[in-house]
Amino acid sequence: TSSAFLECFRNNLCDISVHPRYYGTHSFRRGGCQWLAVVCRWSFRRICDWGGWAESFDNPGTLFKYLLSWVDNPLERREDFFNPDRPPIDPCTHCGRTCTCA
């Protein structure tokens, strides 16, 4: 269940000394939608079934928000998403430059 997963995930965060208060399962759902669309090439209807949005289709904007966001960077290479050694490309939220100070 999602609650069991969340408990295990938060325990893992505690194991690596990261406070779990700010972490939930929502980013996994968003990441899952993007992975299913881009990598697995699932149809939008199937993604809606997976996400639990297929009952009424009364709000198609929900799926769109999960697939694309203003914070996405289409210029970032996929293999660099989790590369800790990649050069910074997004402006720092602290100083506004592309640095690692934040």
mmCIF file of all heavy atoms in Angstrom, residues 56-84:
data_model
loop_
_atom_site.group_PDB
_atom_site.id
_atom_site.type_symbol
_atom_site.label_atom_id
_atom_site.label_comp_id
_atom_site.label_asym_id
_atom_site.label_seq_id
_atom_site.Cartn_x
_atom_site.Cartn_y
_atom_site.Cartn_z
ATOM 1 N N SER A 56 -13.736 9.676 -14.646
ATOM 2 C CA SER A 56 -14.615 10.685 -15.238
ATOM 3 C C SER A 56 -13.946 11.541 -16.313
ATOM 4 O O SER A 56 -14.636 12.135 -17.122
ATOM 5 C CB SER A 56 -15.153 11.604 -14.144
ATOM 6 O OG SER A 56 -14.072 12.304 -13.539
ATOM 7 N N PHE A 57 -12.648 11.620 -16.331
ATOM 8 C CA PHE A 57 -11.909 12.476 -17.272
ATOM 9 C C PHE A 57 -12.423 13.911 -17.267
ATOM 10 O O PHE A 57 -12.386 14.604 -18.272
ATOM 11 C CB PHE A 57 -11.957 11.927 -18.703
ATOM 12 C CG PHE A 57 -11.202 10.651 -18.887
ATOM 13 C CD1 PHE A 57 -11.871 9.457 -19.061
ATOM 14 C CD2 PHE A 57 -9.822 10.637 -18.872
ATOM 15 C CE1 PHE A 57 -11.172 8.272 -19.221
ATOM 16 C CE2 PHE A 57 -9.118 9.457 -19.033
ATOM 17 C CZ PHE A 57 -9.793 8.270 -19.210
ATOM 18 N N ASP A 58 -12.943 14.359 -16.117
ATOM 19 C CA ASP A 58 -13.513 15.699 -16.055
ATOM 20 C C ASP A 58 -12.465 16.792 -15.854
ATOM 21 O O ASP A 58 -12.774 17.966 -15.952
ATOM 22 C CB ASP A 58 -14.581 15.781 -14.955
ATOM 23 C CG ASP A 58 -14.023 15.474 -13.581
ATOM 24 O OD1 ASP A 58 -12.891 14.968 -13.494
ATOM 25 O OD2 ASP A 58 -14.733 15.727 -12.592
ATOM 26 N N ASN A 59 -11.228 16.410 -15.604
ATOM 27 C CA ASN A 59 -10.182 17.405 -15.407
ATOM 28 C C ASN A 59 -8.895 16.953 -16.104
ATOM 29 O O ASN A 59 -7.975 16.464 -15.456
ATOM 30 C CB ASN A 59 -9.949 17.633 -13.913
ATOM 31 C CG ASN A 59 -9.071 18.843 -13.661
ATOM 32 O OD1 ASN A 59 -8.618 19.497 -14.596
ATOM 33 N ND2 ASN A 59 -8.831 19.132 -12.413
ATOM 34 N N PRO A 60 -8.814 17.111 -17.432
ATOM 35 C CA PRO A 60 -7.619 16.643 -18.145
ATOM 36 C C PRO A 60 -6.355 17.404 -17.755
ATOM 37 O O PRO A 60 -5.252 16.943 -17.992
ATOM 38 C CB PRO A 60 -7.972 16.861 -19.618
ATOM 39 C CG PRO A 60 -9.044 17.885 -19.615
ATOM 40 C CD PRO A 60 -9.791 17.709 -18.325
ATOM 41 N N GLY A 61 -6.510 18.574 -17.136
ATOM 42 C CA GLY A 61 -5.340 19.329 -16.700
ATOM 43 C C GLY A 61 -4.526 18.597 -15.649
ATOM 44 O O GLY A 61 -3.331 18.834 -15.505
ATOM 45 N N THR A 62 -5.164 17.700 -14.906
ATOM 46 C CA THR A 62 -4.447 16.950 -13.872
ATOM 47 C C THR A 62 -3.333 16.122 -14.487
ATOM 48 O O THR A 62 -2.188 16.179 -14.041
ATOM 49 C CB THR A 62 -5.413 16.043 -13.091
ATOM 50 O OG1 THR A 62 -6.400 16.853 -12.478
ATOM 51 C CG2 THR A 62 -4.691 15.250 -12.029
ATOM 52 N N LEU A 63 -3.657 15.368 -15.517
ATOM 53 C CA LEU A 63 -2.636 14.549 -16.175
ATOM 54 C C LEU A 63 -1.538 15.430 -16.749
ATOM 55 O O LEU A 63 -0.353 15.129 -16.596
ATOM 56 C CB LEU A 63 -3.249 13.690 -17.285
ATOM 57 C CG LEU A 63 -2.253 12.858 -18.099
ATOM 58 C CD1 LEU A 63 -1.513 11.875 -17.217
ATOM 59 C CD2 LEU A 63 -2.967 12.139 -19.229
ATOM 60 N N PHE A 64 -1.908 16.533 -17.374
ATOM 61 C CA PHE A 64 -0.917 17.427 -17.967
ATOM 62 C C PHE A 64 0.051 17.949 -16.904
ATOM 63 O O PHE A 64 1.257 18.023 -17.122
ATOM 64 C CB PHE A 64 -1.607 18.586 -18.683
ATOM 65 C CG PHE A 64 -0.659 19.443 -19.451
ATOM 66 C CD1 PHE A 64 -0.160 19.026 -20.669
ATOM 67 C CD2 PHE A 64 -0.244 20.654 -18.944
ATOM 68 C CE1 PHE A 64 0.729 19.806 -21.381
ATOM 69 C CE2 PHE A 64 0.657 21.449 -19.648
ATOM 70 C CZ PHE A 64 1.137 21.016 -20.874
ATOM 71 N N LYS A 65 -0.468 18.304 -15.718
ATOM 72 C CA LYS A 65 0.395 18.802 -14.639
ATOM 73 C C LYS A 65 1.373 17.735 -14.178
ATOM 74 O O LYS A 65 2.477 18.050 -13.748
ATOM 75 C CB LYS A 65 -0.445 19.282 -13.450
ATOM 76 C CG LYS A 65 -1.154 20.582 -13.708
ATOM 77 C CD LYS A 65 -1.770 21.142 -12.451
ATOM 78 C CE LYS A 65 -2.782 20.223 -11.851
ATOM 79 N NZ LYS A 65 -3.520 20.780 -10.731
ATOM 80 N N TYR A 66 0.976 16.482 -14.260
ATOM 81 C CA TYR A 66 1.881 15.401 -13.861
ATOM 82 C C TYR A 66 2.927 15.118 -14.927
ATOM 83 O O TYR A 66 4.028 14.687 -14.622
ATOM 84 C CB TYR A 66 1.100 14.127 -13.555
ATOM 85 C CG TYR A 66 0.562 14.098 -12.148
ATOM 86 C CD1 TYR A 66 -0.584 14.780 -11.804
ATOM 87 C CD2 TYR A 66 1.227 13.392 -11.149
ATOM 88 C CE1 TYR A 66 -1.081 14.762 -10.513
ATOM 89 C CE2 TYR A 66 0.737 13.370 -9.855
ATOM 90 C CZ TYR A 66 -0.407 14.054 -9.541
ATOM 91 O OH TYR A 66 -0.880 14.042 -8.271
ATOM 92 N N LEU A 67 2.594 15.342 -16.186
ATOM 93 C CA LEU A 67 3.525 15.045 -17.273
ATOM 94 C C LEU A 67 4.499 16.180 -17.553
ATOM 95 O O LEU A 67 5.652 15.944 -17.897
ATOM 96 C CB LEU A 67 2.754 14.704 -18.547
ATOM 97 C CG LEU A 67 1.965 13.409 -18.498
ATOM 98 C CD1 LEU A 67 1.148 13.247 -19.771
ATOM 99 C CD2 LEU A 67 2.881 12.221 -18.293
ATOM 100 N N LEU A 68 4.048 17.419 -17.416
ATOM 101 C CA LEU A 68 4.899 18.579 -17.701
ATOM 102 C C LEU A 68 4.749 19.598 -16.588
ATOM 103 O O LEU A 68 3.684 19.744 -16.008
ATOM 104 C CB LEU A 68 4.507 19.228 -19.023
ATOM 105 C CG LEU A 68 4.701 18.399 -20.278
ATOM 106 C CD1 LEU A 68 4.096 19.114 -21.471
ATOM 107 C CD2 LEU A 68 6.158 18.119 -20.521
ATOM 108 N N SER A 69 5.811 20.330 -16.323
ATOM 109 C CA SER A 69 5.770 21.353 -15.291
ATOM 110 C C SER A 69 6.693 22.491 -15.691
ATOM 111 O O SER A 69 7.647 22.303 -16.441
ATOM 112 C CB SER A 69 6.230 20.763 -13.956
ATOM 113 O OG SER A 69 6.367 21.773 -12.984
ATOM 114 N N TRP A 70 6.425 23.678 -15.172
ATOM 115 C CA TRP A 70 7.272 24.825 -15.475
ATOM 116 C C TRP A 70 8.668 24.640 -14.900
ATOM 117 O O TRP A 70 9.603 25.304 -15.319
ATOM 118 C CB TRP A 70 6.635 26.114 -14.971
ATOM 119 C CG TRP A 70 6.511 26.162 -13.473
ATOM 120 C CD1 TRP A 70 5.491 25.690 -12.704
ATOM 121 C CD2 TRP A 70 7.469 26.708 -12.561
ATOM 122 N NE1 TRP A 70 5.746 25.902 -11.377
ATOM 123 C CE2 TRP A 70 6.953 26.539 -11.253
ATOM 124 C CE3 TRP A 70 8.710 27.326 -12.708
ATOM 125 C CZ2 TRP A 70 7.635 26.952 -10.114
ATOM 126 C CZ3 TRP A 70 9.383 27.742 -11.568
ATOM 127 C CH2 TRP A 70 8.839 27.546 -10.298
ATOM 128 N N VAL A 71 8.855 23.719 -13.954
ATOM 129 C CA VAL A 71 10.185 23.494 -13.390
ATOM 130 C C VAL A 71 10.989 22.472 -14.193
ATOM 131 O O VAL A 71 12.167 22.278 -13.935
ATOM 132 C CB VAL A 71 10.122 23.045 -11.912
ATOM 133 C CG1 VAL A 71 9.507 24.115 -11.052
ATOM 134 C CG2 VAL A 71 9.372 21.747 -11.768
ATOM 135 N N ASP A 72 10.361 21.816 -15.159
ATOM 136 C CA ASP A 72 11.095 20.876 -16.007
ATOM 137 C C ASP A 72 12.065 21.639 -16.899
ATOM 138 O O ASP A 72 11.786 22.740 -17.342
ATOM 139 C CB ASP A 72 10.136 20.069 -16.885
ATOM 140 C CG ASP A 72 9.251 19.135 -16.080
ATOM 141 O OD1 ASP A 72 9.612 18.822 -14.935
ATOM 142 O OD2 ASP A 72 8.203 18.738 -16.597
ATOM 143 N N ASN A 73 13.193 21.037 -17.166
ATOM 144 C CA ASN A 73 14.203 21.651 -18.020
ATOM 145 C C ASN A 73 14.436 20.740 -19.217
ATOM 146 O O ASN A 73 15.118 19.731 -19.095
ATOM 147 C CB ASN A 73 15.508 21.857 -17.251
ATOM 148 C CG ASN A 73 16.528 22.604 -18.080
ATOM 149 O OD1 ASN A 73 16.398 22.725 -19.290
ATOM 150 N ND2 ASN A 73 17.557 23.089 -17.439
ATOM 151 N N PRO A 74 13.885 21.088 -20.391
ATOM 152 C CA PRO A 74 14.037 20.201 -21.544
ATOM 153 C C PRO A 74 15.459 20.128 -22.082
ATOM 154 O O PRO A 74 15.763 19.264 -22.895
ATOM 155 C CB PRO A 74 13.093 20.818 -22.587
ATOM 156 C CG PRO A 74 12.984 22.249 -22.193
ATOM 157 C CD PRO A 74 13.116 22.282 -20.691
ATOM 158 N N LEU A 75 16.341 21.006 -21.633
ATOM 159 C CA LEU A 75 17.722 20.981 -22.110
ATOM 160 C C LEU A 75 18.607 20.055 -21.278
ATOM 161 O O LEU A 75 19.723 19.743 -21.677
ATOM 162 C CB LEU A 75 18.306 22.402 -22.084
ATOM 163 C CG LEU A 75 17.546 23.423 -22.938
ATOM 164 C CD1 LEU A 75 18.186 24.797 -22.791
ATOM 165 C CD2 LEU A 75 17.509 22.994 -24.388
ATOM 166 N N GLU A 76 18.122 19.609 -20.132
ATOM 167 C CA GLU A 76 18.908 18.719 -19.281
ATOM 168 C C GLU A 76 18.879 17.308 -19.858
ATOM 169 O O GLU A 76 17.830 16.775 -20.204
ATOM 170 C CB GLU A 76 18.346 18.709 -17.864
ATOM 171 C CG GLU A 76 19.204 17.932 -16.897
ATOM 172 C CD GLU A 76 18.718 18.080 -15.470
ATOM 173 O OE1 GLU A 76 17.616 18.610 -15.244
ATOM 174 O OE2 GLU A 76 19.459 17.667 -14.580
ATOM 175 N N ARG A 77 20.061 16.725 -19.981
ATOM 176 C CA ARG A 77 20.146 15.375 -20.515
ATOM 177 C C ARG A 77 19.617 14.384 -19.484
ATOM 178 O O ARG A 77 19.878 14.507 -18.295
ATOM 179 C CB ARG A 77 21.582 15.023 -20.882
ATOM 180 C CG ARG A 77 22.146 15.894 -21.976
ATOM 181 C CD ARG A 77 23.570 15.553 -22.316
ATOM 182 N NE ARG A 77 24.327 15.165 -21.138
ATOM 183 C CZ ARG A 77 25.427 14.411 -21.185
ATOM 184 N NH1 ARG A 77 25.882 13.983 -22.325
ATOM 185 N NH2 ARG A 77 26.061 14.093 -20.087
ATOM 186 N N ARG A 78 18.863 13.410 -19.925
ATOM 187 C CA ARG A 78 18.246 12.430 -19.026
ATOM 188 C C ARG A 78 19.287 11.717 -18.160
ATOM 189 O O ARG A 78 19.072 11.475 -16.980
ATOM 190 C CB ARG A 78 17.443 11.431 -19.841
ATOM 191 C CG ARG A 78 16.586 10.524 -19.016
ATOM 192 C CD ARG A 78 15.549 9.838 -19.906
ATOM 193 N NE ARG A 78 14.586 9.164 -19.102
ATOM 194 C CZ ARG A 78 13.550 9.737 -18.505
ATOM 195 N NH1 ARG A 78 13.363 11.009 -18.621
ATOM 196 N NH2 ARG A 78 12.709 9.048 -17.783
ATOM 197 N N GLU A 79 20.433 11.394 -18.736
ATOM 198 C CA GLU A 79 21.460 10.681 -17.973
ATOM 199 C C GLU A 79 22.091 11.553 -16.879
ATOM 200 O O GLU A 79 22.766 11.057 -15.996
ATOM 201 C CB GLU A 79 22.537 10.092 -18.879
ATOM 202 C CG GLU A 79 23.204 11.089 -19.795
ATOM 203 C CD GLU A 79 22.513 11.229 -21.150
ATOM 204 O OE1 GLU A 79 21.361 10.835 -21.301
ATOM 205 O OE2 GLU A 79 23.169 11.760 -22.058
ATOM 206 N N ASP A 80 21.853 12.865 -16.931
ATOM 207 C CA ASP A 80 22.394 13.761 -15.913
ATOM 208 C C ASP A 80 21.415 14.051 -14.772
ATOM 209 O O ASP A 80 21.760 14.750 -13.838
ATOM 210 C CB ASP A 80 22.806 15.102 -16.540
ATOM 211 C CG ASP A 80 24.103 14.989 -17.316
ATOM 212 O OD1 ASP A 80 24.873 14.037 -17.056
ATOM 213 O OD2 ASP A 80 24.345 15.855 -18.166
ATOM 214 N N PHE A 81 20.193 13.523 -14.836
ATOM 215 C CA PHE A 81 19.190 13.856 -13.828
ATOM 216 C C PHE A 81 19.705 13.617 -12.403
ATOM 217 O O PHE A 81 19.500 14.432 -11.529
ATOM 218 C CB PHE A 81 17.913 13.058 -14.044
ATOM 219 C CG PHE A 81 17.063 13.568 -15.177
ATOM 220 C CD1 PHE A 81 15.940 12.873 -15.546
ATOM 221 C CD2 PHE A 81 17.374 14.722 -15.872
ATOM 222 C CE1 PHE A 81 15.126 13.320 -16.578
ATOM 223 C CE2 PHE A 81 16.579 15.181 -16.911
ATOM 224 C CZ PHE A 81 15.457 14.478 -17.257
ATOM 225 N N PHE A 82 20.341 12.484 -12.155
ATOM 226 C CA PHE A 82 20.807 12.157 -10.815
ATOM 227 C C PHE A 82 22.326 12.128 -10.716
ATOM 228 O O PHE A 82 22.869 11.549 -9.789
ATOM 229 C CB PHE A 82 20.224 10.815 -10.366
ATOM 230 C CG PHE A 82 18.730 10.853 -10.251
ATOM 231 C CD1 PHE A 82 17.930 10.217 -11.174
ATOM 232 C CD2 PHE A 82 18.130 11.558 -9.219
ATOM 233 C CE1 PHE A 82 16.551 10.269 -11.075
ATOM 234 C CE2 PHE A 82 16.756 11.615 -9.113
ATOM 235 C CZ PHE A 82 15.968 10.971 -10.033
ATOM 236 N N ASN A 83 22.998 12.752 -11.658
ATOM 237 C CA ASN A 83 24.452 12.795 -11.655
ATOM 238 C C ASN A 83 24.908 13.918 -10.719
ATOM 239 O O ASN A 83 24.746 15.096 -11.040
ATOM 240 C CB ASN A 83 24.969 13.038 -13.073
ATOM 241 C CG ASN A 83 26.473 13.156 -13.125
ATOM 242 O OD1 ASN A 83 27.162 13.021 -12.122
ATOM 243 N ND2 ASN A 83 26.985 13.431 -14.307
ATOM 244 N N PRO A 84 25.496 13.578 -9.574
ATOM 245 C CA PRO A 84 25.904 14.629 -8.640
ATOM 246 C C PRO A 84 27.064 15.480 -9.155
ATOM 247 O O PRO A 84 27.313 16.575 -8.635
ATOM 248 C CB PRO A 84 26.310 13.854 -7.390
ATOM 249 C CG PRO A 84 26.676 12.498 -7.878
ATOM 250 C CD PRO A 84 25.815 12.246 -9.093
#
